[in-house]
Amino acid sequence: MKRFAIVGVLASALLFVVGIAGASTPGGDVRLTNDCHPDADCGAGYTSSYTLATGVPYTDQTLDECTISKGRENEPAVQVDPRNTSVLLGSSNDYCGVYNRGALAGAIGPIWLGYYRSLDGGSSWTSSLVPGYPDDTSPYAALSKARTASAGDPVVAWDNHGRAFFGSESSGDPAGSLKTFGDVFVARFENPDGADAADTTRDGLAYRGTTVIEKGSSAPNLLGKFNDKTAIEADRSGTVCDGNVYFSWARFTGNGRRSTTSSSRTSRSPAMATSM
C-alpha cells in the first residue's frame, strides 16, 4: 500500500506542474478506446485485430462487450511508427471485457492488452485487443502462446521495418483458480505486405503471434515467482544489430521479498524472430 501512496503523490505533483505549464485544449483530446457505442462521437466500437488486417468479419462476446462497456483502462502506452509518423499504436490494461457474460455473472471476463491504431497522427483511433485473450476464437488466436486469463502493463516498440512489438505482464488462471502465473510475453505485429513494404499505412497491422518470454510459477497471491515491470526497445540503428528487440522485466520471488532484473533479446532473422 505504501508503494501506491507514493505513486499517488507523484501523480498529483505532476498534474499540478502540467496544469501550470498549460492544460490540454478543451475538445482537443480524442478517445483511443471506442467503448461507448452507440453514444454520439464514440466511434464504431471494438473491431477484431483479425478483421482489421484481413477484412474478414469476426466478433465474439468479449469484443461485443468492449464496444458498449464504458469500462476503465489504465497504464497506457503509445508509440509512433518511425517510417510514417501519421501511424500510431497504443495500448493499455483494458478492462472492457470483464462483464462479457453479463453483470449478474460478475466481473469474470478478461482484462487484456488493448490494441489501438491511428492513421492520422492521433486525431482518430480504431479500438481492438491484442489477440489471444480468453474467448478469442479468431484465426489469430492459434498464433498466441499466452496461457493466462489476463494481460496488462503494456510496453510498445517499433523497428524501422514496419514491425511493432507489444510487451506484457500476464497473470490469472483461465481455469478460475487463485493461481497467479506471472508470465511476461511479447506480441508481434508487422506490415501484411512484408518488411519494408512501400505502403507504410499498413505497418504494424498484421498479428504474427505471441511468445511467452518467461513463465512465472503457479502460486496464489503472488507467492511464487512473479515477473513484472516490463520494458522493451527495438534497434533502429541501421547497423548489424538493426531489428534486434530487447525486452526486460523484474522478477519477484515470494511476494516481492527478493527481486532481480532479467532480459531477453531476439534477432530480426526469421529463425530467431519465430522463437521469440
Side-chain angles (χ1 to χ4, degrees), residues 21-225:
S24 61
T25 303
D29 297 334
V30 295
R31 301 182 66 93
L32 278 70
T33 53
N34 298 303
D35 58 358
C36 49
H37 184 77
D39 291 2
D41 301 321
C42 188
Y46 276 55
T47 304
S48 168
S49 176
Y50 174 73
T51 299
L52 291 177
T54 67
V56 178
Y58 168 80
T59 192
D60 53 47
Q61 61 191 24
T62 294
L63 292 172
D64 291 345
E65 173 61 21
C66 285
T67 291
I68 63 173
S69 67
K70 300 182 180 180
R72 65 187 179 98
E73 297 84 13
N74 57 18
E75 299 186 345
V78 65
Q79 291 291 337
V80 180
D81 181 2
R83 298 205 321 144
N84 183 343
T85 56
S86 291
V87 179
L88 284 71
L89 289 179
S91 188
S92 73
N93 305 339
D94 202 324
Y95 288 69
C96 65
V98 298
Y99 291 112
N100 66 358
R101 287 171 172 79
L104 293 179
I108 59 176
I111 303 165
W112 203 257
L113 252 63
Y115 173 89
Y116 318 130
R117 182 177 181 84
S118 175
L119 298 178
D120 53 15
S123 295
S124 62
W125 294 81
T126 301
S127 306
S128 188
L129 297 176
V130 172
Y133 51 90
D135 301 315
D136 181 9
T137 58
S138 74
Y140 273 173
L143 301 178
S144 174
K145 304 304 180 185
R147 61 176 189 149
T148 55
S150 64
D153 292 9
V155 287
V156 183
W158 287 91
D159 69 7
N160 265 335
H161 307 281
R163 294 180 289 230
F165 306 89
F166 284 58
S168 174
E169 162 290 300
S170 66
S171 60
D173 181 4
S177 77
L178 296 179
K179 295 176 181 178
T180 49
F181 288 166
D183 294 353
V184 286
F185 69 63
V186 173
R188 307 180 303 280
F189 294 81
E190 65 178 32
N191 192 306
D193 302 323
D196 304 309
D199 185 0
T200 57
T201 64
R202 290 162 62 81
D203 284 359
L205 178 60
Y207 175 69
R208 292 297 182 242
T210 293
T211 300
V212 175
I213 304 300
E214 181 72 13
K215 292 182 177 179
S217 56
S218 302
N221 300 321
L222 311 182
L223 292 176
K225 182 178 71 172

Side-chain angles (χ1 to χ4, degrees), residues 4 42 134 224 268:
F4 294 125
C42 188
R268 65 174 294 193

Side-chain angles (χ1 to χ4, degrees), residues 195-273:
D196 304 309
D199 185 0
T200 57
T201 64
R202 290 162 62 81
D203 284 359
L205 178 60
Y207 175 69
R208 292 297 182 242
T210 293
T211 300
V212 175
I213 304 300
E214 181 72 13
K215 292 182 177 179
S217 56
S218 302
N221 300 321
L222 311 182
L223 292 176
K225 182 178 71 172
F226 192 86
N227 300 297
D228 198 2
K229 308 304 179 189
T230 54
I232 196 168
E233 187 54 280
D235 193 307
R236 298 178 293 275
S237 64
T239 67
V240 67
C241 294
D242 187 80
N244 282 357
V245 179
Y246 302 89
F247 181 69
S248 65
W249 64 95
R251 184 176 70 230
F252 297 91
T253 304
N255 202 21
R257 292 183 178 86
R258 291 182 295 153
S259 67
T260 58
T261 301
S262 304
S263 64
S264 180
R265 185 190 76 173
T266 184
S267 166
R268 65 174 294 193
S269 66
M272 289 292 288

